[in-house]
Amino acid sequence: MATAVRDITGFSNEPFTDFKDPSNKAKMEAALEQVRATFGTTYPVIIGDRVIADGPTETSVNPAKPGEVIGNIVQATAAQAVEAIEVADRTFESWRKVSVEDRAEYIFRMAEIMRERKFELCAYLVYEVSKSWAEADGDIAELIDFAEYYAREAIRIGQPQPQVPFPGETNDLRYIPLGVGAIIPPWNFPGAIMGGMTMAAIVTGNTVVLKPASTSPVIAAVFVRMLLEDAGLPKGVVNFLPGPGADIGDTIVDHPRTRFIAFTGSKQVGLRIYERAAKVHPGQIWLKRTILEMGGKDSIVVDETADIEKAAEAIVAAAFGFQGQKCSACSRAIVVADVYDAVVEKVVERTKKLTIGDPSQPGTYMGAVIDPKAFNKIREYIDIGKKEGRLLAGGETGEAKDGYFIPPTIFADIQPDARLSQEEIFGPVLAFIKAKDYDDALEIANNTEYGLTGAVFTSDETRLERATEDFHVGNLYLNRKCTGALVGVQPFGGFNMSGTDSKAGGPDYLLLFTQGKSVTKRL
């Protein structure tokens, strides 16, 4: 493959789309119609050059209109999972020898393709996971950012790394790929995280088996088709393996030829993968690497010196954007007593103005939660909240009729050790916690098993410095909301039960998919 001459010196984030522009609004509406015309398509298993379109299928439905079938997904078998690992293992022998510049070129091509088809990709997210236009656009912009950033980073770390000179020798450190990886992405960022993990693995010379989330497989299938058909990625580098996690997921995690597992999802599943990956199986000659991004119980702290208008705006955006279904979402607002009532009042006022409904409509702020399981779990937590605190907004827990809609819900006066304060809900439920003072607020902010994101609103510089030192999270934001990390700007990943602090979208991330090899030549 002839590698294009590119300027790789600069990286800039993909601009967000202004949907107030009539031309962009028209393009999005056209894309929604275009994607709607594909509803009911059957998406096959892809293993190397085999496209497997027969076998049992599962449907992917629109959470806002569960009667709408987005696609029928062929379900892989355990035997096909083994086959996929074996094909990826064989393909690795040739793919690892492809130059890093050529590997990066495939990813640069993907960035161009995805940019050209941005509205189409956004439309799939609107329908399949009920993202609003803005949330879908942010997801796909991040996906494009990952492509552009990781391609550049791969070229940077793919060169011999400078070493301390030593007389009579040349010494070289280079980063080489690991082998076959299992890519297990989440449903909540089915564009950005799914594609980001996949591209990070392959641009560094690995081959992968991609098992999409069961509630968002169509966008993954479309992405893989772009990689193989449009970008021309060699067959076998990415193998597409939809299927049940308890069967397919366990098979690809356990296989002795699997070298690493990249996973984003719940703490429960992440710990299960961590435990299974630690077991050495017959024929396995390495310790498997795990790259795990798990849950969060994220807080925004507000003290008495803060701009409470900006704090309230940030709390609402971080708590209820994409229905609170982000591991970085603000699920706890910890406010010092002096301004507690004022902040609560302003947050409730803003929350009651949010629109909830069909996300294919341009004015909708919140769509539906992902599926009946999530709907019922969130309802249970709302019932718990009614016992643990004071309901101020939302709280309706009726049956889902025409979609899995849950209104933005706010509880006040939650105790720091209450279930609503400690357990990840992953839905539009916000708990207000009153702190005696700033010291108490920071102590509460650190009182969960997680450590993903957090934010502090204060005008006191010494308190900002104190938070920088003592607020134990992987992504800390000072005087801004705790969601919306940008690739290359805020490397993302957390501490404790939030995962292995992978720092996606940062200069360390691709190293997780490589191993260092030192080469010394005596002159």
Side-chain angles (χ1 to χ4, degrees):
M1 182 182 76
T3 306
V5 177
R6 294 184 182 272
D7 177 13
I8 63 167
T9 56
F11 166 79
S12 59
N13 297 105
E14 180 72 11
F16 297 133
T17 304
D18 178 7
F19 289 111
K20 293 180 181 178
D21 183 327
S23 65
N24 288 333
K25 182 174 182 288
K27 289 176 183 177
M28 186 64 187
E29 289 171 339
L32 287 164
E33 288 303 311
Q34 174 191 348
V35 169
R36 176 173 286 280
T38 70
F39 282 8
T41 298
T42 296
Y43 296 90
V45 172
I46 301 174
I47 302 174
D49 58 4
R50 286 219 304 145
V51 177
I52 305 164
D54 56 344
T57 62
E58 291 288 338
T59 58
S60 177
V61 302
N62 181 351
K65 296 180 180 179
E68 288 185 344
V69 176
I70 311 301
N72 301 294
I73 316 300
V74 177
Q75 301 294 285
T77 65
Q80 289 167 345
V82 172
E83 178 188 356
I85 294 290
E86 292 172 346
V87 167
D89 194 32
R90 291 195 296 270
T91 307
F92 174 66
E93 290 307 311
S94 56
W95 180 244
R96 69 183 179 88
K97 295 182 180 179
V98 173
S99 73
V100 66
E101 292 79 11
D102 283 350
R103 296 196 305 261
E105 180 59 24
Y106 289 108
I107 306 305
F108 281 127
R109 284 185 191 175
M110 273 298 288
E112 294 169 353
I113 293 163
M114 294 185 297
R115 194 174 287 114
E116 292 169 1
R117 298 172 64 179
K118 189 175 185 180
F119 292 99
E120 175 193 352
L121 292 170
C122 286
Y124 276 108
L125 295 183
V126 169
Y127 286 129
E128 192 168 35
V129 296
S130 205
K131 291 207 168 189
S132 68
W133 289 19
E135 289 286 348
D137 181 66
D139 194 321
I140 300 304
E142 186 176 19
L143 175 60
I144 295 168
D145 281 351
F146 279 139
E148 293 280 2
Y149 185 82
Y150 290 155
R152 287 171 169 77
E153 281 294 296
I155 293 171
R156 180 182 68 82
I157 70 168
Q159 310 307 314
Q161 304 298 301
Q163 303 301 306
V164 175
F166 187 79
E169 292 180 353
T170 60
N171 289 281
D172 170 30
L173 172 67
R174 59 189 62 193
Y175 295 108
I176 64 174
L178 294 170
V180 177
I183 306 295
I184 307 175
W187 55 262
N188 65 327
F189 283 87
I193 298 180
M194 177 276 302
M197 291 196 299
T198 301
M199 292 186 294
I202 64 177
V203 78
T204 45
N206 304 286
T207 55
V208 303
V209 175
L210 168 59
K211 195 205 89 61
S214 60
T215 45
S216 60
V218 171
I219 188 66
V222 171
F223 173 82
V224 169
R225 189 160 58 194
M226 286 182 180
L227 269 174
L228 298 176
E229 298 178 6
D230 300 321
L233 188 74
K235 292 179 173 60
V237 175
V238 173
N239 302 275
F240 183 62
L241 202 76
D247 190 4
I248 302 304
D250 285 355
T251 299
I252 60 176
V253 167
D254 294 348
H255 197 286
R257 296 305 298 175
T258 297
R259 181 62 180 81
F260 65 93
I261 302 100
F263 165 81
T264 300
S266 70
K267 182 192 80 168
Q268 179 184 13
V269 176
L271 292 179
R272 189 170 190 274
I273 289 172
Y274 188 61
E275 181 178 12
R276 296 185 78 95
K279 181 176 174 59
V280 177
H281 295 269
Q284 182 178 325
I285 59 172
W286 45 62
L287 301 178
K288 294 176 183 176
R289 184 172 296 177
T290 55
I291 304 159
L292 307 174
E293 300 177 43
M294 306 193 301
K297 192 66 181 174
D298 311 298
S299 304
I300 292 181
V301 171
V302 184
D303 81 354
E304 73 280 5
T305 73
D307 183 328
I308 61 174
E309 293 286 351
K310 291 182 179 178
E313 181 182 358
I315 289 167
V316 172
F320 302 125
F322 188 41
Q323 299 80 266
Q325 297 173 125
K326 302 177 184 180
C327 54
S328 59
C330 172
S331 59
R332 309 196 306 171
I334 304 170
V335 184
V336 299
D338 288 354
V339 291
Y340 180 82
D341 290 338
V343 173
V344 168
E345 180 181 355
K346 291 182 181 298
V347 169
V348 171
E349 179 184 356
R350 282 171 168 77
T351 298
K352 289 184 176 180
K353 295 177 182 178
L354 300 180
T355 56
I356 180 170
D358 182 357
S360 67
Q361 300 303 307
T364 300
Y365 184 81
M366 289 175 59
V369 299
I370 188 64
D371 62 10
K373 182 179 178 181
F375 180 82
N376 290 327
K377 175 188 174 185
I378 296 165
R379 287 198 308 166
E380 290 173 4
Y381 274 107
I382 289 174
D383 289 339
I384 292 168
K386 290 176 180 177
K387 298 174 183 176
E388 292 186 336
R390 181 163 48 99
L391 178 65
L392 298 180
E396 296 87 347
T397 58
E399 296 298 324
K401 295 179 180 178
D402 301 317
Y404 309 122
F405 294 102
I406 292 181
T409 299
I410 299 173
F411 290 99
D413 306 338
I414 298 297
Q415 293 301 306
D417 60 350
R419 291 185 63 186
L420 223 63
S421 174
Q422 293 294 313
E423 299 175 13
E424 186 177 40
I425 300 171
F426 223 68
V429 180
L430 172 65
F432 266 97
I433 303 170
K434 184 185 293 187
K436 294 190 294 289
D437 51 27
Y438 183 72
D439 288 346
D440 187 40
L442 271 190
E443 184 175 342
I444 295 169
N446 284 326
N447 79 345
T448 77
E449 64 182 345
Y450 298 103
L452 187 52
T453 74
V456 171
F457 278 81
T458 177
S459 62
D460 186 326
E461 283 296 326
T462 61
R463 289 181 176 180
L464 293 177
E465 293 172 7
R466 167 88 184 280
T468 301
E469 183 73 20
D470 293 338
F471 198 162
H472 194 60
V473 292
N475 285 72
L476 176 63
Y477 302 97
L478 305 178
N479 290 320
R480 59 148 280 185
K481 65 187 178 77
C482 62
T483 57
L486 288 173
V487 172
V489 181
Q490 293 116 1
F492 187 80
F495 306 148
N496 299 348
M497 286 299 167
S498 290
T500 55
D501 192 38
S502 58
K503 285 294 176 275
D508 302 334
Y509 188 65
L510 291 191
L511 298 179
L512 301 174
F513 299 85
T514 68
Q515 51 197 345
K517 184 174 183 178
S518 178
V519 179
T520 299
K521 181 179 179 180
R522 183 61 58 89
L523 301 176

